[in-house]
Amino acid sequence: MLKYILKRVAAMALTLFIILSLSFFAIRLIPGDIAGQGAAPELKAALEARYHLDKPLLEQYVIFLKNFLSFDFGESINLYPRRPVFQIIRDKIPTTLQLNIFSLALTIPIGLACGIAAALKKNTWVDYAISAMVVFNVSIPSFVFATVMQYIFCYKLEWFPFLLELEDSSFSLSKFWSMILPILALSFGGISTITRYMRAELFEALNSEYMLLSKSKGLSKLQSTLRHALRNSFIPLCNVIIPMFMNLLGGSMVVENIFGIPGIGSLTSASIQTSDYYLTIAVLFFYSCISLTSMLLVDLSYGIVDPRIRIGGGKVRE
Amino acid sequence: MKIKRILALALACMMMLTACGSNETETETETNTTTENTQTETETETEEEEVEEYTGPKDYRGWTTSRATFNPQMYTNSKTIMNAGTLVAALAENDELVWYPHHASELPTTTDGGTTWTVKIREGLVWSTGTALDATDYEYTFKMLLDPKLVNKNAAYAYDPVVIVNAKEYSQGNANWEDVGVKLVNDHELQITLQYPASELDFYSMIGSLIWPVEEETYEACMNADRTSTTYGTTLDTTPSSGMFVVSEWVTDGYEKFVRNENDPLVKEGWVKLDSYTSRYISQNATRAEMFWAGELDNHSLTGDDYLQYKNDPRAHSLLSANVWGYFMNGASKNTIMQQKDFRNALHYGTPRETICEDVYKLYPAAPALISTGIYAGDGYYRDTEAGKAIAEKYATDYDKAVELFNKAYEANGGQPVSVEYIYFEGQEDQKRQAEILQEHFENLFGSDRFTLTLRACPPASAYDLYRAGEYDLGLGVRLMGNVFNPWSGLNVWKQDYADPYITGFASDEYDQLWFDCMYGDIATDTAAKVEALAKMEELLLDYGCFVPVMQNNNCVMYHERVELATENYLPFIGFSTNQTDLIAAA
Amino acid sequence: MERILEVKDLHIHFNAFAGAVKAIRGVSFHLNKGETLAIVGESGSGKSVTTKAVTRILPDNAVIDNGEITYKGMDLLAMTEKEFNNIRGNEIGLIFQDPLSALDPVMKIGKQITETLILKQKMPKKEAEARALELMKAVGIPNAEQRFHEYPFQFSGGMRQRIVIAIALASNPQLLICDEPTTALDVTIQSQILELIKKIQKERNLSVIFITHDLGVVANMADRVDVMYAGKIVEEGTVEDIFYDPKHPYTWSLLASMPNLDTKGGDELMVIPGTPPNMLYPPKGDAFAPRNHYAMKIDFDREPPMFKVSDTHYAATWLLHPDAPKVEMPAHLKHRIELQLKEAEKYNG
């Protein structure tokens, strides 16, 4: 297992390096002027010199790699001038994280419950209702949800505040109240995913022969479902749930914009639009790390959760 | 099963509907692009009766799009730095703009016609950190502003348009600090020497208003090892205040709160009524609209449709934009018809600017000339002067003239059907509609058998790159006029030696000479002559045909009933003077 | 002999997408205490469905139209699910065809055995574990203590089937239903499992219903045999009745199509032409008629009733009608049976 992990980490490092290099060159292709429109030409020249943009591309690349490997991620050029990139990302993560953790705490239980209900009551109205909800959630973009919810619940009904409460850094009830709508908006997509997966897996599990055996042993339907079907159907769910955990750090641009949440979500597009090279690369790198780590964890999870893989490479004895 | 099919159909319809609907909500943005920030201006409300004086807390609830930094040497949106004071302050008094000394103890004076200026600093000024604020702070500020290694965005404020001796050279590493025209006479007096004489208005509005001091201790503490960067103003802790307000809370991309600074001299003189001013960062217009109409925001920028509904509401106040939007014409294009001056002029006269403004923008007025109505020249708005009016009249929309000129150009080009390409910004619904109106109108006016207009959408950055490269025929855009008091400086973009031009083929020695005379030459302090020169410059540009003006983006702001603005009319430079706003009721 | 299980006139159909599939069209049989009944037939003849009906583990789209199933005097079909739960496992045990899919892949086999004990009989854990180990040893799993904590995939096919048997036996059932338990195993293992089942039956005095399509297994295991075709029982009798004196043409074909030691390489095997009928539209008369070499006109019109051959032997074929022409079983089958009888005499003799 350890050898496997080390191999994978090495592969990850290589992948990240390739991503980094590709991003570096790709970003230079984006049209845009770091000095902004109408800036004095001397300023433009000085800025370009400062950020090494006047040097040949390969030389820039070498400088960039050197800095990156010594953990100098540069500073933001336009978006948050002179602020170290690392600090920008680091400061935005807690807000996004807090919101996403709550969202996940909502998504997983509800998604599982809906999926189980739909599978147990397949082809009844419960199943149809849940499936309709899933299609609904998946088809309608999150910004439509968020905007509509804000319009109805904040403007028309005045039940919730429009924006996330930022005044107090400590956690209070009113702050939580203001988090409810964004949490809901973030959850819908995840709930649908988990429901679909769970429903499919559980349905397959319910129809397997070990369920028949279990029944023939004399276990009640509830006992069989709980003890056998559910355990079997949870295993493939790691595939879906672990990436969701990793996406805690990701943030949704749209929902954050609508509810005024100062999180990571809008960082990517904002940094690309303002030609903020260092910030863009750092953000892309950050997201790549998250993705690759989540993939690694998913693969490892199978090894841990599924005994067939954990033990199985081993001997099958007579 | 039937039910399943009906369900599937219903869901498919719903999906299509949301796809259409969401497209519209996504692309409906204000035409306020990139750098133009809607001002959170305030205005007096004409209340006839004097109700009982409101004595409750006066906390203004504003909004803005995010703030990048509080470092005044890096931040480009000059007017919303409420927590930093300057040498002089522009204030609204009796609905007029007046200059008051802020950190200066008296308005700066000059004895040699505007070249050497004496600036005296008040006694007893303090930073919010407790350290004293005096002339040494200003000297330090200039030195850091122009530091060649720091490369501050706003360094040009010290040498463009008002040129401090050797400031530019120092910032490029070609001079020593001792050579720069900023001298510390004593702890409370500075002497500033200019390369060219400047008028009082220019000096007050530039050096006097755009050089915000930085606090030395914090600035140094935030400096990195090789002195190429400082994190001054990037977080709340590194942002000392010296103005009429102190920044008391700041969550990056969240909100910022300013609290009245009782130690400020102007506050002590009673100019500030608000207790605090909070700006929440809200990027979605829909959210802002909902919050305003729910009574949670004190001001809101109206969209075109809202404007039609509310333009006569006493709470609505129009701003005066310094810029005129239109489209560039490339007289050096490979497309031969573009090289015909008559054709370009035809496009100018033929552009249906009034129709466009009515149908598309609704709240923006049409502009026949290049200088907006918000530009001040000397002692009045330029467009109100005789010279200004004459230009506007001469170049007013005239379809007959357009056709006449087109016919001439058409024949001169060989009598062959012509086609030109018009570029506009991707993702802007208003610009798209404008493009379509232009297309339909011109093809009707000139005859679609002779003329076709092809449309092309580009991201703004790409569009401007195309203009720089000269690879376009017609292209929507604007050259921003940074300074309402000094339009001549903003017109440097049309000079032959301007370093970042958009290719239009315009090249005029006469123009360049006029420009220099107005900026730094004999008539630099002669207002009347400068106004005449300005008109001439405008005429040269319109005559050549390098830019067709279409509209002026005068936004309209709606204020909550409880807001009492400091001035009835929109004043140049300070707008409705946010700092002086008053609130006459509870939230 | 006491009858422990009695099935009377069972009719079952499945609600499939295309319509109603009539799987069981009037099946009646009985099982005596302590004996092994083999139910033989082609795939799709309804063998598994019958036994699944007995243990009430039919899928949700199965409908029992008619019929009575009596176990030890209790009417099984009339019971509620809750009541029946006590019957399953405790009274009736079921052994499945494919042990790999029958076992929960992610649960240790020890736990799978002790599950019923702990849940149903409320046995304390230690006791249940001891009992499970006992069972494992009884079914012949070596190293029981160690293998108690292993997962199904760590066992070979034969071992897994033993585990399934152990699970079935855990609650001491009286009736054991084996649904083709050796089909998925290779021949050597097959004989081991069969020996095991026989051993267990003798030790515990179980009644066994053995479903198979393999006549060799039937010869090995059964006391009595029921032959099923297209949802009906076409012949029933003792194992000697069926093998030495079959009366139904279908049984003749089954026996004749089996190769034996005398079959030489190069000999053509006898096959039954055609395929079983589509049970969406079951035929009017005898379902076997289209494939029946000996079919008479009446076979296509009316279903034959069960004709008595002896007290133990019944066959549902019009050939046994007193008015029917005398038809003998195919010659080479007769020949074969004679040879076998001689062998048996020699053996027993």
Side-chain angles (χ1 to χ4, degrees), chain A residues 22-53:
Chain A
L22 284 176
S23 316
F24 178 85
F25 291 109
I27 283 168
R28 292 287 184 281
L29 296 172
I30 300 173
D33 189 5
I34 60 168
Q37 200 225 353
E42 308 87 34
L43 175 66
K44 187 162 170 212
L47 281 176
E48 289 187 352
R50 181 193 172 82
Y51 294 113
H52 311 297
L53 296 172

Side-chain angles (χ1 to χ4, degrees), chain A residues 109-256:
Chain A
I110 293 189
L112 289 177
C114 287
I116 293 173
L120 287 177
K121 300 230 183 301
K122 190 157 210 254
N123 293 332
T124 63
W125 70 268
V126 173
D127 184 23
Y128 291 143
I130 291 179
S131 300
M133 168 201 87
V134 167
V135 175
F136 195 71
N137 282 352
V138 165
S139 335
I140 297 183
S142 59
F143 60 80
V144 173
F145 262 133
T147 314
V148 168
M149 280 206 296
Q150 192 181 53
Y151 182 74
I152 296 176
F153 294 109
C154 303
Y155 184 56
K156 285 286 179 202
L157 294 175
E158 293 183 22
W159 286 353
F160 294 96
F162 281 91
L163 307 167
L164 182 71
E165 194 182 288
L166 294 171
E167 271 69 37
D168 215 343
S169 59
S170 68
F171 194 74
S172 67
L173 190 62
S174 66
K175 183 162 189 189
F176 182 70
W177 189 248
S178 73
M179 282 166 82
I180 289 181
L181 281 187
I183 290 173
L184 282 177
L186 289 170
S187 304
F188 287 134
I191 290 179
S192 308
T193 312
I194 295 185
T195 302
R196 272 172 55 226
Y197 255 92
M198 192 64 203
R199 178 179 179 276
E201 289 297 330
L202 187 58
F203 183 68
E204 204 182 297
L206 286 173
N207 284 337
S208 347
E209 234 179 82
Y210 55 79
M211 284 297 288
L212 272 184
L213 181 90
S214 174
K215 194 171 180 186
S216 74
K217 275 203 280 204
L219 263 55
S220 70
K221 188 154 186 213
L222 180 65
Q223 283 170 324
S224 311
T225 309
L226 281 177
R227 296 172 68 90
H228 293 284
L230 277 184
R231 289 190 56 209
N232 272 280
S233 50
F234 273 145
I235 289 174
L237 234 58
C238 288
N239 202 9
V240 176
I241 292 187
I242 289 184
M244 280 187 178
F245 268 99
M246 298 309 300
N247 283 339
L248 283 181
L249 299 169
S252 152
M253 171 172 96
V254 166
V255 172
E256 289 188 359

Side-chain angles (χ1 to χ4, degrees), chain A residues 31 37 41-42 50 75 78-83 92 139 143 150-151 155 162-164 166-167 257 260 262, chain B residues 15 68 74 149-151 153 168 172 228-229 234 252-255 280 287 290-291 462 465 478 499 502:
Chain A
Q37 200 225 353
E42 308 87 34
R50 181 193 172 82
E75 59 184 34
N78 280 323
L79 211 50
Y80 307 99
R82 304 301 149 92
R83 216 188 302 189
K92 281 180 175 285
S139 335
F143 60 80
Q150 192 181 53
Y151 182 74
Y155 184 56
F162 281 91
L163 307 167
L164 182 71
L166 294 171
E167 271 69 37
N257 269 349
Chain B
M15 283 190 262
M74 287 300 301
K149 290 208 283 191
L150 287 174
V151 188
K153 269 215 176 111
K168 186 169 177 178
Q172 291 172 331
T228 55
S229 204
T234 57
T252 314
D253 293 328
Y255 75 105
R280 185 70 209 242
T287 313
E290 288 168 18
M291 287 181 75
S462 311
D465 278 345
V478 66
Y502 299 156

Side-chain angles (χ1 to χ4, degrees), chain B residues 30-199:
Chain B
E30 314 158 57
T31 358
N32 237 358
T33 44
T34 48
T35 49
E36 269 293 294
N37 221 346
T38 319
Q39 307 299 333
T40 48
E41 313 294 343
T42 54
E43 180 188 86
T44 31
E45 222 183 302
T46 43
E47 271 210 10
E48 305 301 15
E49 304 165 4
E50 210 44 63
V51 218
E52 210 178 281
E53 182 96 19
Y54 172 63
T55 49
K58 296 184 178 178
D59 299 311
Y60 191 95
R61 305 157 304 172
W63 62 269
T64 180
T65 48
S66 175
R67 177 183 300 277
T69 175
F70 268 105
N71 182 341
Q73 303 186 334
M74 287 300 301
Y75 196 60
T76 48
N77 197 332
S78 44
K79 299 198 193 82
T80 62
I81 304 188
M82 289 174 83
N83 69 318
T86 47
L87 292 171
V88 301
L91 296 168
E93 193 176 33
N94 298 327
D95 288 342
E96 302 241 316
L97 174 74
V98 290
W99 295 100
Y100 257 80
H102 189 174
H103 288 166
S105 57
E106 56 182 42
L107 291 175
T109 53
T110 173
T111 48
D112 58 358
T115 309
T116 320
W117 292 80
T118 305
V119 181
K120 297 202 179 120
I121 309 293
R122 287 186 202 242
E123 304 274 341
L125 293 173
V126 276
W127 284 95
S128 60
T129 54
T131 48
L133 199 169
D134 56 29
T136 55
D137 288 87
Y138 270 93
E139 197 211 1
Y140 179 77
T141 299
F142 274 105
K143 189 151 183 234
M144 290 298 112
L145 180 66
L146 296 166
D147 189 287
K149 290 208 283 191
L150 287 174
V151 188
N152 284 310
K153 269 215 176 111
N154 295 342
Y157 287 168
Y159 53 83
D160 182 11
V162 174
V163 187
I164 296 181
V165 167
N166 281 327
K168 186 169 177 178
E169 289 74 12
Y170 176 73
S171 76
Q172 291 172 331
N174 298 330
N176 298 322
W177 177 245
E178 296 70 46
D179 304 329
V180 177
V182 174
K183 294 273 178 281
L184 190 69
V185 174
N186 60 51
D187 270 0
H188 287 89
E189 190 173 324
L190 283 173
Q191 189 187 72
I192 300 183
T193 317
L194 305 178
Q195 179 122 8
Y196 306 101
S199 65

